[in-house]
Amino acid sequence: METPPPPPHPYWPRSLVLPGYVPADWPGWQCAGAVAAAGAGLMALGWALGGTKGRGGASRSSVRRLALGWFLLCAGIHGVLEGYFSLQHRGLPAATGLLADIFSGCMWGHSQHPSRSDGFTVAMESVTAWVWGPLSLVTVLAFLRQHPSRYILQLLVSLGQLYGDVLYFMTAAQDGWVHSDPRPLYFWGYFVAINGIWLLVPMALLLDAGCQLAKAQRLLD
């Protein structure tokens, strides 16, 4: 008796073979919506925490409160989604459950993660999950307590995020974008625009941290 062919998957290239692939129970748009809702909640929590008075009763600016929300968002995404990939990458195509569906749904625009468990991708995502994720949370706490190391932490996390995202785009480009959905909405709106946020925001936070540290050094000098 012939073995039935595996069910079709939504990833590119369409000829991609994913042994043991199991379709997600949640549609992709619901997975993306769940991540967006959770992300908005973390941003709102960071904004609310930033509204508390710092030492000496000083108020935080809107930009600083948004930055707190950003680092809290990063702690959640890095720790949960990329942490899940770090632990479950070998069996990801066949994985079931809420996290598996959310991760697979969020990868519709680019199939590099569901289709690859090579050393580079796993190492990059593991560092992101277990280093930049926890350090993002530590950065939030440092700003809430006005710890002297807060801008050093901001610089370290932002540099790590920027470096990882640049490598992510570069490896995709070197592969000829074969893992990217060529439809404009998915390529430009889903893959480029969303991942591009982790280029633009870290660059802005790197500049901010550099200015703050340079200001402190000038006062010390």
Side-chain angles (χ1 to χ4, degrees), residues 72-113:
L72 203 56
L73 169 67
C74 291
I77 290 178
H78 296 335
V80 177
L81 290 183
E82 287 158 310
Y84 177 81
F85 174 80
S86 174
L87 297 175
Q88 302 292 333
H89 61 93
R90 294 187 185 279
L92 190 59
T96 59
L98 179 61
L99 276 179
D101 286 357
I102 289 177
F103 190 91
S104 297
C106 290
M107 292 297 106
W108 268 24
H110 191 69
S111 65
Q112 182 173 352
H113 287 76

Side-chain angles (χ1 to χ4, degrees), residues 31-41 73:
C31 295
V35 173
L73 169 67

